[in-house]
Amino acid sequence: MSETIFTKIINREIPADIVYEDDLSLAFRDINPQAPVHLLVIPKKPIVSINEIEESDRELVGHLYWVAGKLAKDMGFDQDGYRTVMNCGENAGQTVFHIHLHLLAGKPLGWPPYTDKMKQA
Ligand code: 5GP
C-alpha cells in the first residue's frame, strides 16, 4: 500500500510532537487541534482504515485504546473526561489512510459531534 504522512512521522522523516511510543504504537499531537488536547494514537502497522483491520490485528487495535487510557491518566484528564474517535471513509471525513484514534480532551465536548447543517443533509 502507499505510504502516508503517518509512516513518515513514525520513521522521523517529518517532525511531530510525539507524546508516547512503544513497539506497537505512537501518539502525537494533531497538527490542527480541535480541542485543547488533541492527540492521535496510531499503530506502527499501516492499516488503511477500520475496513482493513484483520482478525490478527484485534489485540493491536485494543492496544490503541489502552494507550489512550494511559495517556489520559498520565496527562491528568482521565477524571474530567475525553473522547476517542476513529473516522472511517468519506462520510466520516477520514483524510489520512492509516488508522488513528483521535483523543480529544480539555473542554466539554459537544454531542452529537456534527453541525445542524450536516444533520439535515
Ligand atoms: P482524519 O480526518 O483522517 O480522521 O484525521 C486526520 C488527522 O490528521 C487530522 O485531524 C489532521 O489534522 C491530522 N494531520 C494530518 N497531517 C498531519 C501531520 O502532518 N502531522 C500531524 N501531527 N497531524 C496531521
Side-chain angles (χ1 to χ4, degrees), residues 5-6 9 14-17 28-34 38 40 85-88 92-98 100 102:
I5 196 100
F6 290 174
I9 289 174
I14 63 164
D17 189 351
F28 50 93
R29 292 186 192 277
D30 195 293
I31 205 167
N32 183 24
Q34 302 300 311
H38 186 171
L40 301 172
V85 176
M86 191 179 285
N87 293 320
C88 183
Q94 184 179 4
T95 57
V96 179
F97 291 88
H98 178 140
H100 46 281
H102 293 264

Side-chain angles (χ1 to χ4, degrees), residues 38-50:
H38 186 171
L39 308 175
L40 301 172
V41 184
I42 70 171
K44 289 186 172 174
K45 179 181 176 184
I47 300 168
V48 171
S49 81
I50 295 173

Side-chain angles (χ1 to χ4, degrees), residues 64-97:
L64 303 181
Y65 283 90
W66 176 81
V67 171
K70 173 176 170 49
L71 287 169
K73 283 173 264 186
D74 290 353
M75 296 173 83
F77 53 81
D78 56 317
Q79 295 305 311
D80 286 343
Y82 53 96
R83 179 171 297 153
T84 58
V85 176
M86 191 179 285
N87 293 320
C88 183
E90 189 178 346
N91 275 0
Q94 184 179 4
T95 57
V96 179
F97 291 88

